[in-house]
Amino acid sequence: MKRAGIHLVFAGGSLLKPWLLNILACPICKEHPLTVHIIQVESNVLKDSASLAKELVIHFKKGVLSEPSLKPVHNLSSSKDVDKWLAAARNAFASLAKQKPTPTTLQPLVDFLHRLEVLEGILRCEKCRRFYPIGSRIVGVPELLPDAQRDKEADLAFLRKHKDVLPEKLLSGSKPFALKS
Ligand SMILES: [Zn+2]
């Protein structure tokens, strides 16, 4: 029942928030972080941004926050917020070399990690080159499935749908399926 974890995480019907990138790993080779290509995104209104910042301090101290996961993020959407909030999040992490993690110093991470919701995109493991669709069958839901449980036709159709924005390396050089170049 390798899929159980995935279903539990999304049982509430919530969409993929970049916070999840802190803990996602390739289900096959366990590599972390995964590269994310954001194709379509939405931003939501946060009711209690201050509490989320406090929570991030706890996550940081427990080693849950992953600075490396902020590096392989590619914004292929038209949203300028993604770039702005990602830059703020990276800067906040960089500032921790000189400042302590407090709700104030980690506040800039809140927008990127919690306000964004990725409706469609691709996760990719650069180690084993597998790609995993986000929002292919259900909007906002990443499909981190073992090869045998994947739907080849659906996965290839998803790559074709976004072939104009996705990099050639991903389209023709991915596993377990790739588009012919
Ligand atoms: Zn992998």
Side-chain angles (χ1 to χ4, degrees):
M1 287 298 290
K2 284 182 182 169
R3 298 167 68 178
I6 303 297
H7 286 289
L8 284 176
V9 169
F10 298 102
S14 61
L15 307 169
L16 186 140
K17 290 183 187 201
W19 187 91
L20 201 62
L21 298 171
N22 287 303
I23 56 169
L24 282 184
C26 176
I28 309 300
C29 75
K30 312 300 175 200
E31 177 77 353
H32 170 89
L34 295 175
T35 298
V36 60
H37 299 270
I38 296 172
I39 298 171
Q40 214 197 334
V41 78
E42 238 176 41
S43 50
N44 61 56
V45 179
L46 294 179
K47 290 194 190 99
D48 196 354
S49 162
S51 303
L52 290 168
K54 277 185 204 160
E55 208 174 74
L56 288 181
V57 175
I58 297 164
H59 294 162
F60 181 86
K61 288 179 178 166
K62 287 185 174 169
V64 175
L65 293 189
S66 159
E67 185 174 16
S69 73
L70 291 178
K71 295 202 172 94
V73 177
H74 304 283
N75 179 21
L76 309 177
S77 79
S78 55
S79 166
K80 298 276 183 284
D81 286 343
V82 178
D83 297 323
K84 190 173 72 185
W85 293 344
L86 177 60
R90 286 171 174 160
N91 287 339
F93 251 116
S95 78
L96 296 178
K98 293 179 190 160
Q99 310 179 64
K100 284 186 174 167
T102 65
T104 308
T105 56
L106 294 187
Q107 185 69 46
L109 285 160
V110 171
D111 287 333
F112 181 71
L113 296 180
H114 287 288
R115 277 183 77 181
L116 286 180
E117 288 177 342
V118 181
L119 307 181
E120 285 193 318
I122 298 264
L123 293 163
R124 190 174 193 260
C125 171
E126 301 307 330
K127 195 173 169 194
C128 73
R129 298 191 286 145
R130 281 182 174 76
F131 77 97
Y132 303 98
I134 303 166
S136 169
R137 285 186 275 194
I138 300 175
V139 170
V141 175
E143 297 179 19
L144 289 148
L145 298 174
D147 294 353
Q149 289 177 28
R150 295 179 68 144
D151 181 334
K152 183 178 179 181
E153 289 315 310
D155 286 358
L156 287 176
F158 192 68
L159 289 185
R160 264 194 299 274
K161 179 182 174 187
H162 297 297
K163 70 177 166 44
D164 293 340
V165 292
L166 290 168
E168 181 54 36
K169 179 182 94 165
L170 190 153
L171 293 168
S172 61
S174 289
K175 287 182 176 177
F177 324 114
L179 291 184
K180 292 193 180 82
S181 52

